[in-house]
Amino acid sequence: MKVLVIGKGGREHALVWKLAQSPRVDQVFCAPGNAGTALDGANVGIETKDFDGLIRFAKKETIGLTVVGPEDPLAKGIVDAFQKAGLKIFGPSKAAAQIEASKVFAKKLMRDADVPTAEFRVFDHPDPARLYVQTREYPVVVKADGLAAGKGVLVCSTTEDAMAAIERIMVREEFGLAAGRQIIIEKRLDGQELSVQALVAGRVIVPLAAAQDHKRAFDGDTGPNTGGMGAYSPAPLATPELLQEIESQALVPTVHAMKRRRVPFRGVLYAGVMATNQGTRILEYNCRLGDPETQPLFMRLKTDLFELLEAAVEDRLDDFAEGNLRWDDRPAVCVVMASGGYPGAFSRGKVVLGLDEAAKVPDVKVFHAGTKRDSNNLTITDGGRVLGVTALGDTLAAAKRKAYEAAAKIHFQGAFYRKDIGDRALQSGEGDAP
Ligand code: AMP
Ligand code: GLY
C-alpha cells in the first residue's frame, strides 16, 4: 500500500515516520514535505492548496490512503475533493472542519451541547464589542472567528488591551477580512493547559494519550504565544478521572452534536483544555493532530498507525475502542528548536549541523519541521520552528535529559529553544514516577 501525507511540519514528519513502520505500507510520500520526510519517505513537490495536483498524483501513484496534517487544507475542503475523486483520505470534511476554522461555530456548538467552556459573546461590529469589554469586571480574551495561523487569539490583561485587540482584529483586519468579520470575547481563565486528542469516526471515539504543550516562546512561560515550543506525553496532570471527565463532558456531547447537525466528524478531534480551580474548561477544538504534541505521542504509540487510520476511514474504528491502543509506558519529551526571531520575523537558509550526532543518542528521534535540502544537499532552515528533538526515557526526567543532550549537538545560526520543557510536571513531583 502507498500512503500520502499532506503538509510539511514536524507533525507531518512524525506521521511519515510512523506510517512507514507499518508492515502494510510500502511507501510513504509527503507533499510538499521537508528534509526529514525526504529521509523517512519521499517528497512530492506539490503544495497543500493544489488539490487538483494532489488528486492527479494520488491517482497516478494509486495511493491507498491520504492523511492530512494541517488545518488549512481541511478547512478548504481537501477531504471532500479527494472523496469526490473516489480516493480514501483521513480527516474531517470542510463542514466538520469548522469546529476549528470558525470559533463562533465551535463556541455555539459547545453552548448548545452543554460543554464546559469560558463564558462568551459573539460580535460582528466593533462598537458593541467595545461597550461589552468596558462593562466587564474580569480580564477577557478576544478571538478572531476564522483561521489566523494560530495568531488570532489575543489574551488581554486590561480594558485597554481588549480595546486594542478589537481594533486589530475588526478595524485594522490584521488577521484578514474574513477571519475578523466576527469576534468572540470571552472570560479569561487561569490554569494549566492540556491537549486531549481523540480519533473519531461516526459515534466511535478513541482517545489518544494526553500531552502538554508549551505555547510561550521563552522559559517560565514568558514571551509571545507560538505554535508550541515543546511537548511531553503522558501528562501527569491528565489523571484517568480527568480524561474520563473530558471524554464524557466534552468529546461525547460534541461528537453527538455534530452528528445531529448533519456535519459528522471523522478525523482527529483535539480539545484544548484548561484545568481551572473551578473545573475543566474547553478553550478550543482543533480538527487535526497537534504540533508538537504528535511528536512525543507517536514516539510512544505502538499500535500500527496505518491500521488505525484506515479503520477510521472505513468506519471500523470500534476495533480499537475501549483502550485497545498500545503505548510505550515510557514518557517522551519533544524540544522544539526554532529560528531566532520566531514567532516574529526570522531568516531562513541557515545550515543545520550535528543532525547525525544527535541521532546517535539512544531513544532519540529528531523530527524536522522548517527544513529543506539545498542544491549542495545540505540541510538548511526553512521556517520558524525548525526541529523537534524527541526522546523516550524511563522517567520524564530521563527523557528530558536525552532530548536536551541531543539538542545540544545540533547547531544553526540563531537557533534557540526553551530549556524547561517538562519542568512543570517534574516540579509537581508526579512526572518522575517510574
Ligand atoms: P485557542 O486557539 O482558542 O486555543 O487559543 C490559543 C491560546 O490562547 C490557548 O492555548 C490559551 O493559551 C489561550 N487562551 C484561549 N482562550 C483562553 C481563555 N479563555 N483564557 C485564557 N487563555 C486562553
Ligand atoms: N500545539 C498546538 C496546536 O497544534 O494547535
Side-chain angles (χ1 to χ4, degrees):
M1 179 79 82
K2 293 185 201 172
V3 176
L4 172 63
V5 172
I6 309 280
K8 62 174 183 181
R11 163 186 52 211
E12 288 74 25
H13 187 190
L15 278 164
V16 167
W17 174 76
K18 194 74 207 162
L19 287 164
Q21 290 170 12
S22 168
R24 303 251 330 267
V25 173
D26 300 313
Q27 197 170 10
V28 185
F29 294 99
C30 191
N34 57 39
T37 58
L39 294 174
D40 287 310
N43 285 355
V44 186
I46 307 174
E47 289 302 319
T48 58
K49 58 175 185 277
D50 180 7
F51 295 174
D52 290 342
L54 291 167
I55 287 170
R56 267 197 305 278
F57 174 82
K59 285 191 165 166
K60 181 169 72 78
E61 288 289 341
T62 58
I63 299 290
L65 180 68
T66 296
V67 181
V68 188
E71 62 276 16
D72 250 342
L74 293 168
K76 294 198 172 92
I78 192 170
V79 167
D80 313 63
F82 267 63
Q83 283 172 344
K84 207 165 145 207
L87 293 161
K88 280 192 182 161
I89 184 163
F90 175 80
S93 65
K94 180 178 180 174
Q98 282 184 90
I99 192 125
E100 172 166 6
S102 167
K103 290 189 187 293
V104 172
F105 176 91
K107 291 290 286 195
K108 286 186 173 166
L109 187 102
M110 284 193 256
R111 181 157 61 196
D112 293 349
D114 258 338
V115 172
T117 186
E119 205 179 291
F120 73 100
R121 284 270 298 270
V122 180
F123 296 94
D124 52 18
H125 196 277
D127 283 335
R130 290 188 188 107
L131 186 65
Y132 184 73
V133 299
Q134 279 165 338
T135 51
R136 287 316 91 188
E137 275 161 13
Y138 46 77
V140 298
V141 179
V142 184
K143 302 182 174 185
D145 173 46
L147 289 180
K151 300 196 178 97
V153 172
L154 302 170
V155 180
C156 306
S157 299
T158 61
T159 307
E160 291 71 47
D161 288 351
M163 299 294 262
I166 296 166
E167 189 75 15
R168 288 180 61 191
I169 300 175
M170 295 200 104
V171 182
R172 282 191 259 143
E173 295 164 359
E174 274 182 37
F175 308 99
L177 176 64
R181 197 164 285 140
Q182 286 191 305
I183 57 170
I184 301 275
I185 300 181
E186 68 179 38
K187 193 169 184 176
R188 178 174 158 182
L189 305 174
D190 266 323
Q192 275 210 66
E193 284 185 56
L194 189 65
S195 308
V196 178
Q197 310 181 67
L199 285 160
V200 175
R203 283 178 175 270
V204 186
I205 300 173
V206 176
L208 302 173
Q212 254 183 300
D213 184 12
H214 297 60
K215 290 236 160 69
R216 301 293 197 100
F218 309 127
D219 285 9
D221 291 329
T222 57
N225 258 333
T226 70
M229 294 299 292
Y232 56 91
S233 169
L237 175 68
T239 58
E241 296 74 37
L242 184 72
L243 290 176
Q244 183 54 49
E245 181 189 323
I246 293 165
E247 185 174 346
S248 62
Q249 295 191 14
L251 299 178
V252 170
T254 300
V255 166
H256 287 188
M258 290 191 78
K259 222 169 152 36
R260 274 199 307 277
R261 291 181 178 203
R262 295 181 204 287
V263 281
F265 191 92
R266 183 199 308 274
V268 172
L269 185 60
Y270 163 142
V273 174
M274 191 175 272
T276 76
N277 288 339
Q278 280 82 45
T280 314
R281 302 282 182 273
I282 305 302
L283 293 182
E284 63 162 346
Y285 278 119
N286 293 325
C287 65
R288 37 85 196 166
L289 286 159
D291 188 344
E293 291 93 328
T294 301
Q295 290 84 315
L297 220 59
F298 283 3
M299 283 288 273
R300 298 187 53 232
L301 182 66
K302 287 186 163 170
T303 302
D304 185 318
L305 180 65
F306 172 77
E307 301 219 313
L308 192 57
L309 301 184
E310 183 189 54
V313 168
E314 293 178 353
D315 265 327
R316 294 183 287 103
L317 196 54
D318 30 4
D319 294 355
F320 293 94
E322 306 298 336
N324 255 343
L325 295 189
R326 286 176 299 114
W327 298 96
D328 194 322
D329 284 337
R330 291 176 297 167
V333 170
C334 170
V335 175
V336 171
M337 298 184 75
S339 297
Y342 174 78
F346 55 85
S347 48
R348 297 169 196 259
K350 309 294 180 197
V351 177
V352 183
L353 298 171
L355 289 167
D356 292 341
E357 286 309 303
K360 286 184 194 146
V361 181
D363 297 321
V364 164
K365 175 70 187 172
V366 180
F367 292 111
H368 290 231
T371 68
K372 68 176 184 186
R373 285 293 178 97
D374 74 358
S375 50
N376 299 317
N377 225 14
L378 292 170
T379 301
I380 58 173
T381 65
D382 191 38
R385 292 188 292 173
V386 177
L387 301 165
V389 184
T390 312
L392 282 167
D394 288 336
T395 59
L396 188 64
K400 180 188 167 188
R401 259 193 312 276
K402 280 196 255 183
Y404 280 108
E405 183 189 334
K409 297 183 190 296
I410 300 174
H411 302 279
F412 53 90
Q413 204 189 347
F416 82 98
Y417 51 94
R418 280 181 60 161
K419 305 292 188 303
D420 63 345
I421 304 303
D423 279 2
R424 182 134 31 166
L426 290 169
Q427 280 151 13
S428 75
E430 294 166 78
D432 218 15

